[in-house]
């Protein structure tokens, strides 16, 4: 995004992700847990969470939501929405299953993974649903799906050489959501 001329910053909860940044991030990554609210270093008050609440115009999350237990998805989506200004866009790239495949939802950290889902669980995916489920989930959180923007984002991902390995992982669902609240 910086290459495109945007004033972009990244946050991650993982020390490893911050210690091993992608090329071109040049000090634009910071450790932050969005469950604490929007990072105060975003620098603008969006009026939805107090004095420290700042918002971004764009949030992207690739290969993230499928690693969150279903019991926590609503809270995580709400946390992300709090990080975006009204009218801002959230992009998600989520692992999904095709209509012919069974969905996989792993309930918690202590339940053994069924044998037929070991490959999915080894990759850390604990919720793999059809794309329609995700559309309803985002709409239930007051977001408007922006297929026009999602299409442009998917096209840009396909043209970016560093993203080609990600796109080959299997069925992916790319969605853009406009934050309305």
């Amino acid at each position: 995004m910086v290459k495109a001329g945007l004033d972009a910053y990244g946050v991650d909860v993982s020390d490893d992700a911050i210690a091993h940044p992608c090329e071109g991030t040049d000090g634009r990554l910071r450790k932050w847990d969005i469950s604490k609210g929007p990072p105060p270093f975003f620098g603008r008050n969006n009026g939805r969470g107090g004095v420290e609440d700042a918002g971004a115009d764009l949030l992207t999350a690739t290969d993230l939501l499928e690693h969150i237990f279903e019991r926590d998805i609503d809270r995580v989506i709400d946390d992300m929405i709090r990080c975006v200004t009204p009218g801002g866009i959230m992009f998600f790239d989520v692992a999904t299953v095709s209509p012919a495949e069974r969905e996989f939802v792993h309930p918690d950290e202590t339940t053994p993974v069924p044998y037929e889902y070991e490959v999915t669980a080894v990759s850390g995916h604990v919720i793999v649903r059809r794309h329609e489920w995700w559309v309803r989930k985002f709409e239930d959180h007051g977001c408007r799906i922006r297929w026009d923007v999602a299409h442009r984002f998917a096209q840009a991902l396909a043209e970016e050489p560093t993203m080609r390995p990600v796109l080959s992982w299997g069925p992916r669902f790319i969605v853009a959501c406009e934050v309305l609240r």
Side-chain angles (χ1 to χ4, degrees):
M1 286 190 226
V2 173
K3 289 179 188 176
L6 300 174
D7 187 21
Y9 294 87
V11 296
D12 203 302
V13 71
S14 164
D15 287 322
D16 189 56
I18 302 301
H20 301 94
C22 294
E23 181 183 332
T25 56
D26 300 326
R28 292 178 169 269
L29 294 177
R30 300 201 181 128
K31 184 173 180 179
W32 187 259
D33 178 351
I34 65 165
S35 68
K36 297 176 183 175
F41 46 82
F42 276 3
R44 188 170 68 230
N45 187 335
N46 72 5
R48 290 187 310 219
V51 178
E52 294 297 319
D53 195 7
D57 296 322
L58 173 67
L59 178 146
T60 62
T62 58
D63 193 37
L64 169 74
L65 293 177
E66 61 268 34
H67 296 274
I68 308 295
F69 287 104
E70 187 171 21
R71 66 172 188 244
D72 299 322
I73 285 288
D74 289 321
R75 179 187 51 78
V76 169
I77 291 173
D78 282 340
D79 289 343
M80 290 178 167
I81 288 170
R82 286 181 26 232
C83 291
V84 178
T85 57
I89 299 290
M90 299 188 304
F91 284 110
F92 297 98
D93 175 11
V94 185
T96 57
V97 292
S98 71
E101 296 174 297
R102 285 181 45 201
E103 294 177 313
F104 173 70
V105 178
H106 195 66
D108 58 52
E109 304 87 67
T110 60
T111 303
V113 176
Y115 174 76
E116 64 269 23
Y117 293 111
E118 283 185 359
V119 170
T120 300
V122 165
S123 67
H125 295 177
V126 296
I127 178 172
V128 185
R129 298 266 195 182
R130 289 179 183 80
H131 81 273
E132 296 88 356
W133 187 89
W134 289 104
V135 167
R136 283 192 308 277
K137 184 59 70 178
F138 296 127
E139 289 175 339
D140 288 348
H141 283 268
C143 295
R144 181 170 61 119
I145 304 301
R146 293 286 308 273
W147 297 113
D148 58 324
V149 177
H151 176 73
R152 290 194 308 264
F153 184 67
Q155 188 174 12
L157 278 180
E159 293 170 1
E160 173 57 45
T162 60
M163 290 304 294
R164 289 193 182 119
V166 173
L167 297 174
S168 69
W169 290 345
R172 311 291 302 169
F173 174 52
I174 296 174
V175 63
C177 307
E178 183 177 356
V179 175
L180 300 176
R181 52 184 164 129

